[in-house]
Amino acid sequence: MGRAERLGHFAREAQRVVVVTDRDQDVLGLYREGDLAELCILVIRKGRVVDRLAFSLKSVELPDDEVVATFLREHYGEGGSGQAHVPDEVIVPSLPEGVDGVSEWLVERRAEVVESRRTKVEVLAPARGPRRALLEMATDNARHCFEEKRRAADDIDERLTRMQERLRLPTLPRRIECSDISHLGGADTVGAVVALFNGQPDKKRYRTYIVRGAREGDDYQAMYEVLSRRFRRGKAAAEASEDEWQLPDLFVVDGGRGQLGVALAAAHDLGLHELCIVGLAKEKENVLGDKLTDRVYLPGQKNSIPLRPNSPELFLLARARDEAHRFSNRGRSKLGKRRRFESELDCIVGIGPKTRSVLLKTLGSLAALRQASDAAILAVPGVTKRHLQALRGAFAQTVVLAADIEGAPGDAATEVAAPREATAVGEATLVGTPSRGESPL
């Protein structure tokens, strides 16, 4: 069923339920195949379907009534997606054991959210009539959701298989990682590694690396440093049988033959000769440069592999590359913001590195710090009145210097402003400091 068909199907459902009742109802549909189950809730408010929620369950061996009981407890319980609104009726395919107790618990849950509203909540398993039609509709939705998710899983397997064949990979690349280097005029160099699992972003495995040893603007040296750190952790994780830092089935570097060579050197220097690494580059299709095409570079192969636009292989690789670009730029922006903030505070006597960091984390920028009230600054953890006095004194002095600069001749302005260059010493000390989002390596 296509998107337009599903929207039309959903709209028809809304029209069908208008005449049933004006009570708030949640209708739970259940569809099962083997130990897999799909639950779908039609959220009906004042007689109209306003939402549809689907939940997938695996390794389910419980009977239907126990599945329903468990789901109700989790869905309407603390932290559940339905805790904010317990309806007047919950329609289910099978009544849970102790249904009266379940109903009373739902009344209590609703009273906790809406004070003094202790009206009855009914849990029903209708055998006929309009409510039965709603239940069948919800069950049909659950079946559709189950089939759509299964088709999506089959589709990603087909795409990964095509990629495996096209790139001649030894295993199906379920886990893909991609790296990118970002800097601003050679400064604030940050490397990022993002991860996809079965074609979807796996954000818990995203990593940001602040480049410590590379020369400014040397992308190859920065890439070697970042990938060495990533691969070293992966090698250690493999030896310790840890899952968090495991190496991917395919590692992608953004670039052509040169970048691929750097990545291979970083891996081989650590003895990782079996790690699959490729380069993805957007290059001119011909000497005239009329059109750009994506090409994949493989180790030991002279000619690159062109990828057709909209091909499944390019779709997945481009998704990884775009995520790496976005995440590295985000990391570089955060590093630059923190460096500028902290370098402004370096020269203030009495404001140490920890205090600078906590001020940045809490207030966000130097401008916000200048505009903050005394109470707001003192509310920052670890900041004392002594820190406040040091900040206010430094800010007042800055205002006086700015006034002198505005009223002085051009040469005098240069003399006053020159000492600000000394903050570069403070900036250099920040290069090796992990960003808030980076796991220390």
Side-chain angles (χ1 to χ4, degrees):
M1 181 183 292
R3 176 175 171 80
E5 292 176 303
R6 292 196 301 271
L7 290 175
H9 179 64
F10 187 77
R12 289 193 298 273
E13 290 172 355
Q15 296 301 318
R16 285 174 61 187
V17 300
V18 167
V19 297
V20 174
T21 178
D22 62 355
R23 303 188 73 192
D24 290 350
Q25 299 169 303
D26 282 356
V27 187
L28 176 62
L30 172 63
Y31 180 78
R32 307 182 67 162
E33 280 193 15
D35 63 347
L36 302 177
E38 189 77 16
L39 290 161
C40 180
I41 292 184
L42 297 182
V43 181
I44 302 174
R45 300 294 178 258
K46 307 303 179 185
R48 302 185 71 89
V49 176
V50 298
D51 201 1
R52 185 184 70 169
L53 308 175
F55 306 87
S56 299
L57 305 178
K58 297 180 179 180
S59 302
V60 180
E61 298 181 359
L62 299 174
D64 289 357
D65 61 331
E66 293 187 32
V67 172
V68 169
T70 301
F71 180 78
L72 294 180
R73 183 168 59 250
E74 294 180 357
H75 183 64
Y76 297 110
E78 190 69 32
S81 54
Q83 68 167 345
H85 191 113
V86 178
D88 302 312
E89 292 181 1
V90 180
I91 299 175
V92 297
S94 182
L95 289 177
E97 184 177 354
V99 64
D100 292 339
V102 173
S103 296
E104 183 60 31
W105 176 75
L106 290 172
V107 171
E108 297 291 337
R109 291 295 302 156
R110 180 154 65 176
E112 292 176 8
V113 177
V114 183
E115 294 184 2
S116 303
R117 189 184 180 192
R118 293 185 56 83
T119 53
K120 185 178 181 181
V121 178
E122 293 185 284
V123 179
L124 307 171
R128 61 183 67 86
R131 289 182 175 83
R132 180 66 188 182
L134 291 180
L135 183 60
E136 291 174 353
M137 187 188 306
T139 302
D140 187 51
N141 271 265
R143 180 177 59 80
H144 278 296
C145 290
F146 182 91
E147 292 173 350
E148 284 184 7
K149 291 177 181 179
R150 182 164 57 187
R151 280 194 296 268
D154 293 341
D155 181 60
I156 190 61
D157 283 350
E158 181 180 349
R159 291 185 178 190
L160 293 176
T161 300
R162 288 188 58 175
M163 181 187 294
Q164 180 184 5
E165 295 172 352
R166 192 86 165 92
L167 305 184
R168 304 167 200 156
L169 304 174
T171 59
L172 202 66
R174 292 197 177 279
R175 188 173 298 283
I176 301 173
E177 290 187 6
C178 183
S179 68
D180 185 46
I181 302 295
S182 177
H183 58 76
L184 185 62
D188 299 334
T189 304
V190 170
V193 175
V194 301
L196 302 182
F197 183 70
N198 281 340
Q200 298 299 320
D202 188 6
K203 294 190 176 183
K204 66 178 180 297
R205 294 180 184 271
Y206 282 23
R207 298 289 184 267
T208 304
Y209 302 85
I210 297 177
V211 176
R212 298 186 172 99
R215 295 185 301 272
E216 286 192 355
D218 191 337
D219 287 353
Y220 281 179
Q221 192 176 7
M223 177 181 290
Y224 181 87
E225 178 183 328
V226 169
L227 297 187
S228 294
R229 292 164 66 184
R230 167 64 186 106
F231 296 159
R232 188 177 297 112
R233 289 298 296 264
K235 181 179 179 181
E239 293 171 351
S241 299
E242 295 178 355
D243 179 68
E244 181 180 0
W245 287 90
Q246 67 173 302
L247 293 170
D249 302 312
L250 174 65
F251 198 96
V252 183
V253 293
D254 180 27
R257 190 171 285 107
Q259 287 81 0
L260 176 59
V262 173
L264 291 171
H268 294 174
D269 287 350
L270 294 169
L272 299 173
H273 298 281
E274 302 302 319
L275 179 61
C276 294
I277 305 176
V278 301
L280 176 64
K282 189 178 287 292
E283 299 178 340
K284 295 178 181 178
E285 190 174 47
N286 51 52
V287 293
L288 298 177
D290 297 332
K291 186 178 180 181
L292 294 177
T293 185
D294 287 281
R295 295 178 179 274
V296 175
Y297 287 84
L298 302 181
Q301 181 172 312
K302 180 179 179 180
N303 296 324
S304 59
I305 301 175
L307 297 180
R308 292 182 296 100
N310 303 318
S311 66
E313 311 92 272
L314 177 58
F315 174 80
L316 293 174
L317 293 176
R319 170 177 284 184
R321 178 180 60 192
D322 293 345
E323 273 292 279
H325 285 175
R326 180 191 66 80
F327 199 59
S328 65
N329 288 331
R330 175 175 175 266
R332 188 257 307 156
S333 177
K334 290 175 64 177
L335 173 62
K337 180 179 178 182
R338 187 181 71 182
R339 179 183 57 77
R340 290 188 295 271
F341 180 90
E342 295 191 347
S343 63
E344 291 282 351
L345 302 182
D346 280 346
C347 58
I348 301 179
V349 178
I351 304 297
K354 291 184 178 180
T355 305
R356 290 197 299 267
S357 295
V358 75
L359 285 169
L360 171 62
K361 181 178 180 180
T362 305
L363 299 176
S365 69
L366 187 63
L369 177 59
R370 290 178 184 275
Q371 297 171 5
S373 65
D374 290 355
I377 294 176
L378 289 173
V380 176
V383 175
T384 65
K385 290 184 177 180
R386 178 176 61 82
H387 294 135
L388 176 63
Q389 291 173 354
L391 290 169
R392 292 303 186 204
F395 292 159
Q397 185 178 9
T398 303
V399 173
V400 172
L401 285 173
D404 290 343
I405 292 172
E406 290 177 3
D411 290 344
T414 302
E415 293 175 3
V416 175
R420 290 177 59 83
E421 295 178 3
T423 60
V425 175
E427 293 171 8
T429 62
L430 295 174
V431 173
T433 306
S435 66
R436 273 169 42 193
E438 179 189 5
S439 299
L441 296 180

